Amino acid sequence: MQIDIITLLPELLDSPFRHSILKRAIDKKVVTVNLHNLRDYAAGKHQQVDDYPYGGGAGMVMMIEPVANCIESLREKTTYDEVIYLSPDGQLLDQPMANQLSLKQNLIVLCGHYKGIDERIREAFVSLEISIGNYVLTGGELAAAVLVDSVVRLIPGVISDETSALFDSFQDNLLAPAVYTRPAEFRGQKVPDVLLSGHQEQIDQWRYDSALERTRQRRPDLLEDPE
Ligand code: ADE
């Protein structure tokens, strides 16, 4: 998979891809993440990327020309499945959406800033708008990091035990079950006996019950029939 991220703050996105699982995925060439500084695609001495909104009002608006230049230059080399714009107005990111995106080959991710982007960018270039939650961030960069993390970890070969992503919270509309590691007892708090029993069937049943109970208590909305 290739992910091209267009941003005015590439430094903000440097660190998330240089550590842990995402770094390994990049090192193994399972995924390539390219950061493109939007300012490099802006014209003129001042490389202007934003301007005042027509009609007045507070805040600056991201201009269409630099975005068009950047996306068009990327498209000369690569065909993209989606051009994603991160915005609080977008479709809420959830596990099914991450699953679907993990099957794609090439993605452009556009990070917004300021008051917003010129509406014509959405009309001309954006195929999918994604929000990571019902709150407003200062820009799309942190949301892009969240999106890319949630997608890349699902690509086969990224998480060493491939099956572990299948048992994530939300994959079957259940939260993950409780997990424990050594010691078997800490200050009187004991690990449930069944997990030490070696009976795989009983362990699986316990994990399912634990996931169900946790979901009932914390996220009963996930158990509601969508019909
Ligand atoms: N940009 C600003 N707020 C955002 C959000 N909640 N999700 C995605 N992008 C954003």
Side-chain angles (χ1 to χ4, degrees):
M1 177 186 276
Q2 178 178 323
I3 305 177
D4 288 277
I5 305 180
I6 304 172
T7 168
L8 281 165
L9 297 168
E11 301 82 9
L12 248 186
L13 281 166
D14 204 30
S15 166
F17 305 121
R18 281 198 289 116
H19 300 279
S20 186
I21 289 172
L22 290 188
K23 176 186 184 315
R24 273 211 310 277
I26 290 167
D27 290 347
K28 283 206 276 179
K29 300 203 174 1
V30 177
V31 63
T32 308
V33 179
N34 304 313
L35 302 180
H36 304 277
N37 190 337
L38 190 60
R39 210 166 283 282
D40 295 339
Y41 297 85
K45 198 170 71 180
H46 300 293
Q47 294 186 294
Q48 190 178 356
V49 289
D50 61 321
D51 211 338
Y52 294 100
Y54 277 121
M60 303 291 271
V61 176
M62 214 146 122
M63 296 162 73
I64 190 167
E65 285 112 322
V67 175
N69 290 341
C70 183
I71 291 179
E72 280 161 3
S73 103
L74 292 175
R75 279 183 172 158
E76 279 171 20
K77 281 169 264 157
T78 309
T79 305
Y80 292 93
D81 300 291
E82 303 280 3
V83 176
I84 298 167
Y85 172 53
L86 287 158
S87 139
D89 310 345
Q91 213 179 309
L92 267 186
L93 176 63
D94 59 9
Q95 197 61 46
M97 191 193 285
N99 291 347
Q100 277 176 23
L101 290 172
S102 74
L103 302 173
K104 308 283 184 190
Q105 271 311 305
N106 302 310
L107 301 173
I108 287 178
V109 175
L110 173 62
C111 303
H113 249 272
Y114 310 113
K115 193 75 193 148
I117 58 171
D118 189 309
E119 189 63 20
R120 292 166 294 182
I121 297 173
R122 289 178 148 124
E123 290 164 7
F125 298 108
V126 172
S127 61
L128 182 60
E129 293 192 31
I130 296 179
S131 164
I132 64 158
N134 290 329
Y135 42 81
V136 180
L137 302 166
T138 51
E141 282 75 13
L142 297 179
V146 169
L147 172 69
V148 171
D149 188 296
S150 73
V151 169
V152 169
R153 63 186 292 284
L154 296 170
I155 302 172
V158 170
I159 296 183
S160 48
D161 176 3
E162 253 183 56
T163 54
S164 73
L166 295 176
F167 295 110
D168 282 344
S169 286
F170 299 114
Q171 282 297 13
D172 45 12
N173 264 4
L174 291 179
L175 300 181
V179 292
Y180 300 87
T181 186
R182 291 187 298 173
E185 182 173 343
F186 177 73
R187 297 179 187 164
Q189 285 180 285
K190 286 188 175 162
V191 172
D193 287 338
V194 60
L195 297 179
L196 311 176
S197 70
H199 285 290
Q200 197 54 51
E201 230 170 88
Q202 288 177 18
I203 291 170
D204 289 344
Q205 183 63 48
W206 184 91
R207 286 190 170 142
Y208 177 75
D209 294 344
S210 165
L212 195 59
E213 186 50 29
R214 188 166 281 213
T215 311
R216 260 197 209 113
Q217 282 179 3
R218 300 183 186 192
R219 292 293 306 275
D221 55 298
L222 293 174
L223 298 172
E224 279 163 21
D225 199 338
E227 301 309 305

